[in-house]
Amino acid sequence: MKKGSWVHRYLKPESLNLRHYFGGMAFLLLIVQLSTGLFMTMFYQPQLENAYKSVQHINNVVYGGRLIRNMHRWSAVLLVLGTIIHIVRSFVRKDFFIEKKRFLWLTGFLLFFIVISFIVTGLALPWEWRGYWVMEMIPNYLGVTHFVGNALKQFLIDAYTIPRNYNLHILILPLISIILIDLHFLMNLRKRGIGKYLAKHALIVMPFFIAIIILAKLLPIPSEDPDIIPLPLEGKFIPGPEWFFVVFLTPFMYLKGVMVPLFGVYMPFAIFTLLTFLPYYLKKKATAAASASKGFLASKGFKAGLVVAITVIIFGLLFLGSYQSPIYGCNACHNTYRGIRMGVPPPTFKDRKVNPILSDNEWMMRHWYYPDVTW
């Protein structure tokens, strides 16, 4: 690319450093999510009896459907990872001390919550046994909270339907995310040119797009049952959107009593709330912190190392909590070849008196991780 040409001026990134582009990468991956999701809405049927059949139709019959579906899945994984890196970098740079960036910090954390909500609502949509398990564990997860837990759990069980979950996933959450994205950076970006911004980021993020296509081709989610049945423990070590949900449920398997809601619900909620509103209760300390951050602690090398260290810790904990999860293997047993009860989620899924084991959180988690032992 010739220096000084219009192409060079238009497309040349301000810095050829990948660490500057994770926020833009997250935005572009959201666009990928939107486009692939719109494609699947053309074929998906949000009814109990047809949801998984329509997913199989997308995967096995629709031209390009398997690739699109698995691109949607893998872009969701990279979206969360890119968002976490973007947040960590903003934290290390102490963006919460900059007055102009306080509101960006707030909207950014709210966007992260919306991204996780996309993950959770999307997991239940196929309504095979994996999606059914996710739906059952959401009210169980919130049900362990004190005082309001039982009422909240019962409300979620009674209120859940696939059409409502579908509307939440494709309509309500996208509308909220569009508003937050506009407030977060698009409102200011219009002055500089959104097209120019997207073009620059698309160039630097292109390897991630290629990785999504390769992963979607090499590691698709099995959906050919009962013709092709996966192994029960298939999917260990393979990252998936499920990881970002089941990691919060691991206390059900390893802890007892008050320790379960403490580490599973209260601490994550407290950490998220404290970080979200960090700029507003630390704003008076900004001047002192700015003067104290000079020298080695403010050097680019130290900050880069700190970003890497924090990111490795977060991803390491995520891996340790989720890597044994056989996210591809549910249909090994739960497929129509094994009979109605095994192949189709029970119509009485809301009745915990008929299916009391659904409220046994430890059993549910052990069956998820070790289905060949706990069943």
Side-chain angles (χ1 to χ4, degrees):
M1 190 183 297
K2 186 177 179 182
K3 190 173 182 180
S5 66
W6 71 270
V7 178
H8 182 271
R9 291 194 304 271
Y10 190 78
L11 295 180
K12 181 194 173 191
E14 289 83 356
S15 172
L16 289 175
N17 196 322
L18 202 60
R19 69 173 183 268
H20 293 297
Y21 283 83
F22 284 103
M25 182 183 84
F27 179 56
L28 289 170
L29 288 174
L30 274 174
I31 295 176
V32 173
Q33 286 289 95
L34 175 63
S35 57
T36 54
L38 283 174
F39 175 87
M40 289 189 290
T41 60
M42 305 297 179
F43 306 96
Y44 178 75
Q45 299 180 39
Q47 298 95 28
L48 289 178
E49 64 277 9
N50 294 325
Y52 185 52
K53 293 178 183 177
S54 66
V55 169
Q56 287 189 306
H57 179 75
I58 294 170
N59 194 86
N60 304 328
V61 178
V62 175
Y63 181 78
R66 183 193 301 262
L67 178 63
I68 295 294
R69 182 195 175 198
N70 285 282
M71 283 179 63
H72 191 74
R73 177 180 174 83
W74 279 105
S75 61
V77 175
L78 292 183
L79 171 61
V80 177
L81 298 183
T83 304
I84 290 175
I85 295 173
H86 181 59
I87 290 173
V88 170
R89 187 165 179 270
S90 297
F91 178 81
V92 171
R93 290 187 308 180
K94 299 181 181 178
D95 286 350
F96 48 85
F97 280 142
I98 302 173
E99 186 174 354
K100 292 182 179 180
K101 292 189 176 182
R102 285 177 193 155
F103 188 65
L104 302 184
W105 180 278
L106 174 64
T107 54
F109 262 92
L110 294 177
L111 269 170
F112 182 65
F113 177 77
I114 296 299
V115 167
I116 297 300
S117 300
F118 271 121
I119 294 287
V120 175
T121 54
L123 287 174
L125 283 178
W127 202 245
E128 85 291 48
W129 277 82
R130 184 188 302 101
Y132 167 61
W133 179 91
V134 170
M135 178 270 146
E136 292 288 7
M137 287 305 294
I138 292 172
N140 283 3
Y141 172 68
L142 296 175
V144 299
T145 56
H146 294 82
F147 307 114
V148 298
N150 290 333
L152 186 59
K153 175 180 177 179
Q154 194 59 49
F155 169 77
L156 291 174
I157 292 174
D158 293 339
Y160 182 85
T161 63
I162 290 185
R164 287 173 184 163
N165 185 59
Y166 182 60
N167 289 330
L168 183 63
H169 187 73
I170 72 160
L171 181 62
I172 297 174
L173 290 177
L175 285 175
I176 296 173
S177 63
I178 289 171
I179 294 171
L180 288 174
I181 288 171
D182 191 61
L183 293 172
H184 187 61
F185 77 104
L186 283 185
M187 194 163 49
N188 295 325
L189 188 60
R190 291 193 196 98
K191 302 174 184 177
R192 291 156 43 195
I194 295 177
K196 182 178 179 180
Y197 175 89
L198 291 177
K200 289 181 177 181
H201 281 72
L203 285 176
I204 203 76
V205 176
M206 189 59 66
F208 294 96
F209 291 157
I210 296 173
I212 288 172
I213 295 173
I214 293 173
L215 290 169
K217 293 285 287 184
L218 295 181
L219 297 171
I221 192 77
S223 299
E224 298 83 19
D225 55 289
D227 298 324
I228 301 176
I229 299 177
L231 297 174
L233 298 181
E234 192 170 331
K236 285 187 176 182
F237 298 99
I238 299 177
E242 294 88 348
W243 280 22
F244 304 113
F245 176 59
V246 299
V247 71
F248 291 102
L249 305 178
T250 50
F252 287 131
M253 191 163 57
Y254 299 112
L255 302 175
K256 301 291 183 182
V258 72
M259 303 299 285
V260 174
L262 176 62
F263 285 95
V265 181
Y266 300 144
M267 283 185 62
F269 177 77
I271 292 171
F272 177 81
T273 303
L274 287 172
L275 288 174
T276 301
F277 296 99
L278 195 64
Y280 296 94
Y281 58 80
L282 288 183
K283 59 183 179 181
K284 294 182 180 179
K285 301 178 182 179
T287 304
S291 59
S293 63
K294 295 179 180 179
F296 173 73
L297 296 181
S299 66
K300 291 183 179 179
F302 175 79
K303 288 182 178 179
L306 192 57
V307 169
V308 172
I310 296 175
T311 301
V312 168
I313 291 172
I314 293 174
F315 291 168
L317 292 173
L318 182 66
F319 176 80
L320 288 174
S322 308
Y323 77 94
Q324 295 185 73
S325 173
I327 55 178
Y328 285 6
C330 292
N331 292 350
C333 299
H334 297 289
N335 63 78
T336 53
Y337 181 76
R338 300 293 295 268
I340 298 296
R341 177 65 178 85
M342 289 296 290
V344 181
T348 56
F349 68 93
K350 292 188 176 187
D351 193 336
R352 299 304 174 97
K353 293 181 180 178
V354 175
N355 304 302
I357 201 168
L358 299 177
S359 291
D360 187 342
N361 295 323
E362 183 179 351
W363 185 91
M364 291 282 284
M365 285 302 296
R366 291 195 179 279
H367 180 63
W368 173 263
Y369 278 88
Y370 314 109
D372 58 333
V373 177
T374 305
W375 49 278

